[in-house]
Amino acid sequence: MSRGLRRDGKGDHLDKLCTVTSRFLFLEAVRRPSQYPKSRAKTHFHLHYTSFSNISTTKVGGRAKPEDEKRRIFVEIQDKWMDKAVEVYKEEQKKLPGEKRLGLRGVCKLMEERCWKEDKTQISLDKSTLTRRLNGVPSQAKSNANGGWLTEGEADTIINYANQMAREGWPLSRRRILEHANEICFARYGSAFEGLGHNWVDRFILKHRDRLRGSWSRPLDKIRAQAGNPVAKEDYFAKLKAAIKGEEGEEPIPAELIYGVNETGIQEGIGLKEKVYGDPAKKFQHQQRSGGQENINIIVTICADGTSLPLAGRIFRLRGNKITLYTHRLGHSTKGYTDGEIGVEWIKNFDRKIKDKANGRRRLLIVDGHNSHYTRSFLEYAREHRIRVLCYPSHSAHLYQGLDVVVFSVLKRSWSKFRDSFERETGGKVSKRNFLAVYAKAHLKALSTENIISAFKKTGVVPFNPDVITEAMLAPSRTSSTQSGLPIPLTSPLRVMSDLIDRIVACQVYATNSDVDMDDITNDSDDEPSPDRRSNTEQNLGLLTPTRVAISELGSTSLSHLVSSSPPRSSSKIPLFPPSTISPFKSYNQDLLELEPKTENEKRLQDALREAKDRDRKRKL
């Protein structure tokens, strides 16, 4: 019965076999409770169910695998054990006459049992299929792979290129993947190739879904992509480490006194989009909201110990039916953004809130590059009250700002949830009169201890760990990063002569500027000397003139015969001299010189032209 179920097609045999097995065990447990106790029946059912769930219910990314993917995995397992069966059968045939050998059926049965024990998957291997494999007939999967438009290497090239471009911020769309594949096929098959089919990309991605996965793109400003580079990262973490450690004689700043601050905009009547459900005939569903687009800026301050400071405003916190009122500070500016005056008032309020906690110790405040954080009044107040101000790298808040990386996304989702709930329950809309009462719920939910600690951890501040900003996160800056130098490196003789010119120019500077050290002139140049040159010039070059230094360095290059003190031998290899063509003498504007000048100015122009021609002729001689 089980063999028939395994052959009735397209993977459904696993579910049927699991169902039949469970019913059989249940009936046996009812009929013979002494032989099949309840715990044992459950155990047998669990073993069978687990084996089939490895194929039928395995999840990828939190979702169940599609039927095609489950079928592909099952075929891969079956082919793997068929290959092992071929090897085992060949080993069996090597046994001496008289020794017991396994036949085709016996080898297939042995591999089925091993697959059950190791992969927890029940397969059926046919002796006819094993015979074909022994005769060199490949499996259907391998035949299909070899018969595709692209070879395995070409497919790897497209996948690696797609992943590289995605890391650098230029992901490939479905259309662009098809374009690259068509270019490869046109190069191989010629103009007779009509192009890949419309569904080819879908099949290609399904086949390589373990290495290539689709996702929705998010915009990244080009200036942000350029700002997130290794140089800025190294500089930022070096300054962060120095600020926490302090100068000589200063105590290090503990985690409970490291703060981060940033502001975010909240729109009164607009929330985030969300997935909703309704009439299946509609492609999208409308969601009514008040639509007010007036922006309210919220300044949020968090601490590395998991706490946060109160907002600048009035926050109502609901506890059952009881309302607790917290009084905070409100600010107003004409343009609606934080200005220098509000920034100074904010840091004064910040100092008052944590003064008792600090108890005279140093504090670290990490801010963004807004001009309100760098006014003279702001910085003077911070210096006088032992508050160290450190700025994130410009346009890099998406990497280093913990509030942007962790907290604000949770805050916006919570705000959208509570704002929609308020309008749905009251029938009114959010305004400045009730904004703080609605926003307070989202604020308290988003600024939990776990979220705040995670914000500092994911940005490498506390605990201090620059490695959390990985190379993959900085990959979008590769396309705009440059490295100085010529495309083709200079040969050794040319580098020597280039260094000679630099030293001669430096000597001229030294003659007019006594502050320049002569040792730097004779030993240093803009380009680092090559290892072979350094070995011959590292001794006593400070006493040599630039010319003598160049002569000494040329002795280790291909032009050593020009500066060698020993005469060349008959066995010496004659150096090759590639001649360069000098342009021939050409007579330009000769007809103008043959004309009779009619005015004094024409005569002067002819004389100037003759002088220029004579000067050019002398330069070529």
Side-chain angles (χ1 to χ4, degrees):
M1 177 177 61
S2 61
R3 183 174 296 276
L5 289 175
R6 286 196 294 268
R7 291 184 177 179
D8 61 358
K10 297 186 179 180
D12 294 337
H13 59 283
L14 295 174
D15 296 332
K16 293 181 181 180
L17 184 59
C18 184
T19 303
V20 171
T21 304
S22 62
R23 289 177 179 177
F24 172 77
L25 291 174
F26 176 77
L27 293 175
E28 286 292 309
V30 172
R31 287 196 310 166
R32 305 175 183 178
S34 60
Q35 297 183 15
Y36 292 91
K38 187 176 182 181
S39 60
R40 186 177 178 184
K42 285 186 176 181
T43 302
H44 278 265
F45 171 73
H46 177 72
L47 289 175
H48 283 78
Y49 178 78
T50 303
S51 65
F52 298 117
S53 65
N54 287 338
I55 296 177
S56 59
T57 61
T58 304
K59 296 184 178 181
V60 175
R63 296 176 294 179
K65 292 182 179 180
E67 293 297 328
D68 292 342
E69 179 68 8
K70 290 185 285 187
R71 178 63 181 171
R72 185 182 67 84
I73 295 176
F74 179 77
V75 171
E76 288 180 354
I77 295 175
Q78 196 169 25
D79 288 345
K80 180 184 72 172
W81 286 100
M82 181 59 76
D83 293 339
K84 291 184 178 181
V86 172
E87 297 176 0
V88 172
Y89 183 81
K90 291 180 179 180
E91 292 295 329
E92 289 291 326
Q93 298 305 310
K94 295 180 182 179
K95 291 183 178 180
L96 298 175
E99 294 182 356
K100 186 177 180 180
R101 300 179 183 177
L102 290 176
L104 295 174
R105 291 182 183 273
V107 172
C108 291
K109 185 177 180 181
L110 177 63
M111 292 300 103
E112 290 175 2
E113 294 175 354
R114 289 184 181 179
C115 178
W116 173 259
K117 292 180 180 180
E118 297 182 15
D119 292 339
K120 299 301 180 184
T121 303
Q122 190 164 355
I123 62 175
S124 175
L125 301 181
D126 189 75
K127 69 182 186 69
S128 300
T129 305
L130 178 57
T131 302
R132 289 195 298 270
R133 294 289 182 88
L134 290 170
N135 294 331
V137 179
S139 65
Q140 185 178 1
K142 292 182 179 179
S143 299
N144 293 338
N146 296 331
W149 290 110
L150 300 179
T151 64
E152 185 176 351
E154 291 169 346
D156 291 340
T157 300
I158 292 180
I159 294 173
N160 294 335
Y161 178 72
N163 289 332
Q164 178 185 354
M165 296 301 293
R167 287 191 296 267
E168 296 180 0
W170 308 96
L172 302 185
S173 63
R174 184 183 182 279
R175 174 180 56 82
R176 292 188 60 193
I177 292 177
L178 183 61
E179 289 177 357
H180 289 296
N182 276 326
E183 288 179 359
I184 295 175
C185 291
F186 278 122
R188 175 191 292 178
Y189 303 110
S191 58
F193 179 71
E194 298 180 355
L196 298 171
H198 181 73
N199 297 325
W200 180 88
V201 176
D202 297 331
R203 296 194 299 270
F204 180 80
I205 294 175
L206 179 62
K207 181 179 179 181
H208 302 284
R209 62 180 295 129
D210 55 335
R211 301 172 57 193
L212 203 61
R213 180 183 176 185
S215 58
W216 291 104
S217 63
R218 290 185 179 181
L220 177 63
D221 293 341
K222 188 174 182 180
I223 192 170
R224 285 176 173 261
Q226 296 173 353
N229 57 76
V231 177
K233 170 192 170 182
E234 182 180 358
D235 179 72
Y236 165 68
F237 279 104
K239 292 179 178 177
L240 175 62
K241 184 177 182 180
I244 296 176
K245 183 179 180 180
E247 298 178 358
E248 186 176 356
E250 292 182 336
E251 76 281 2
I253 300 177
E256 63 267 19
L257 296 180
I258 298 177
Y259 293 86
V261 61
N262 198 10
E263 65 179 53
T264 185
I266 301 292
Q267 292 180 321
E268 295 177 353
I270 297 180
L272 300 178
K273 70 176 182 178
E274 58 184 352
K275 190 172 184 179
V276 296
Y277 300 90
D279 187 357
K282 290 187 176 182
K283 295 183 178 180
F284 60 89
Q285 305 288 339
H286 291 288
Q287 186 175 15
Q288 294 189 29
R289 284 169 174 163
S290 61
Q293 298 185 6
E294 187 169 359
N295 194 63
I296 299 177
N297 284 340
I298 303 295
I299 302 176
V300 181
T301 309
I302 57 176
C303 181
D305 62 358
T307 61
S308 63
L309 297 187
L311 286 174
R314 284 182 175 270
I315 296 182
F316 294 85
R317 183 175 180 181
L318 301 182
R319 293 181 178 175
N321 296 327
K322 181 180 179 182
I323 299 179
T324 304
L325 177 63
Y326 289 90
T327 303
H328 300 276
R329 297 179 63 84
L330 287 172
H332 172 268
S333 65
T334 305
K335 295 183 178 180
Y337 297 97
T338 305
D339 55 17
E341 184 178 353
I342 293 180
V344 174
E345 292 298 321
W346 178 88
I347 195 171
K348 291 180 180 179
N349 182 62
F350 169 77
D351 181 39
R352 286 192 293 268
K353 295 294 183 181
I354 65 172
K355 189 174 183 179
D356 294 338
K357 181 180 179 181
N359 194 22
R361 294 177 293 174
R362 293 193 311 126
R363 292 157 284 177
L364 176 61
L365 178 63
I366 310 177
V367 299
D368 58 16
H370 195 272
N371 55 13
S372 63
H373 302 144
Y374 300 102
T375 62
R376 181 174 180 179
S377 301
F378 187 98
L379 296 177
E380 283 183 349
Y381 186 91
R383 179 182 290 271
E384 292 173 359
H385 294 79
R386 304 196 72 190
I387 301 175
R388 178 68 181 271
V389 179
L390 180 64
C391 177
Y392 297 105
S394 300
H395 309 290
S396 301
H398 62 291
L399 295 175
Y400 307 107
Q401 171 61 275
L403 287 165
D404 282 355
V405 173
V406 177
V407 178
F408 284 162
S409 59
V410 182
L411 179 63
K412 296 293 180 67
R413 290 196 299 269
S414 300
W415 160 251
S416 183
K417 172 185 175 182
F418 289 111
R419 191 208 65 80
D420 291 346
S421 177
F422 174 81
E423 292 188 353
R424 184 172 58 252
E425 294 173 359
T426 63
K429 66 178 184 178
V430 176
S431 63
K432 291 183 178 179
R433 292 180 177 271
N434 53 27
F435 171 80
L436 290 175
V438 180
Y439 171 79
K441 305 174 185 178
H443 181 89
L444 294 173
K445 182 175 180 62
L447 271 77
S448 62
T449 301
E450 294 78 9
N451 289 342
I452 295 174
I453 293 177
S454 177
F456 285 93
K457 183 178 181 179
K458 286 190 175 183
T459 52
V461 179
V462 177
F464 183 82
N465 183 17
D467 294 336
V468 298
I469 309 299
T470 63
E471 184 179 354
M473 299 167 66
L474 304 178
S477 65
R478 292 177 184 171
T479 55
S480 59
S481 300
T482 58
Q483 183 176 0
S484 60
L486 294 175
I488 301 177
L490 295 174
T491 59
S492 297
L494 291 179
R495 289 200 302 267
V496 172
M497 300 310 296
S498 176
D499 293 345
L500 173 62
I501 295 174
D502 292 338
R503 293 189 182 103
I504 292 175
V505 173
C507 287
Q508 295 175 353
V509 174
Y510 174 76
T512 58
N513 187 359
S514 59
D515 295 335
V516 180
D517 191 355
M518 190 61 186
D519 292 338
D520 296 335
I521 294 175
T522 56
N523 287 327
D524 297 335
S525 62
D526 293 338
D527 298 328
E528 184 70 17
S530 60
D532 55 344
R533 288 160 48 200
R534 186 185 299 111
S535 61
N536 290 335
T537 60
E538 62 184 0
Q539 296 179 355
N540 300 327
L541 290 185
L543 303 177
L544 301 179
T545 63
T547 304
R548 293 182 177 178
V549 172
I551 292 175
S552 177
E553 293 178 346
L554 282 173
S556 60
T557 66
S558 59
L559 297 181
S560 59
H561 61 281
L562 297 179
V563 295
S564 176
S565 58
S566 60
R569 299 178 181 179
S570 59
S571 59
S572 301
K573 185 178 179 180
I574 301 176
L576 298 176
F577 175 71
S580 57
T581 304
I582 300 178
S583 59
F585 293 101
K586 294 183 180 180
S587 179
Y588 297 99
N589 303 320
Q590 186 64 27
D591 54 339
L592 297 179
L593 296 176
E594 295 175 355
L595 295 176
E596 185 68 25
K598 296 181 180 181
T599 62
E600 184 65 25
N601 288 335
E602 290 180 356
K603 183 179 180 181
R604 293 175 58 187
L605 288 173
Q606 285 184 341
D607 294 339
L609 183 58
R610 290 190 183 94
E611 292 178 2
K613 292 172 67 66
D614 293 339
R615 185 168 58 250
D616 292 341
R617 185 181 294 106
K618 292 178 180 179
R619 288 178 178 176
K620 292 186 177 182
L621 293 177

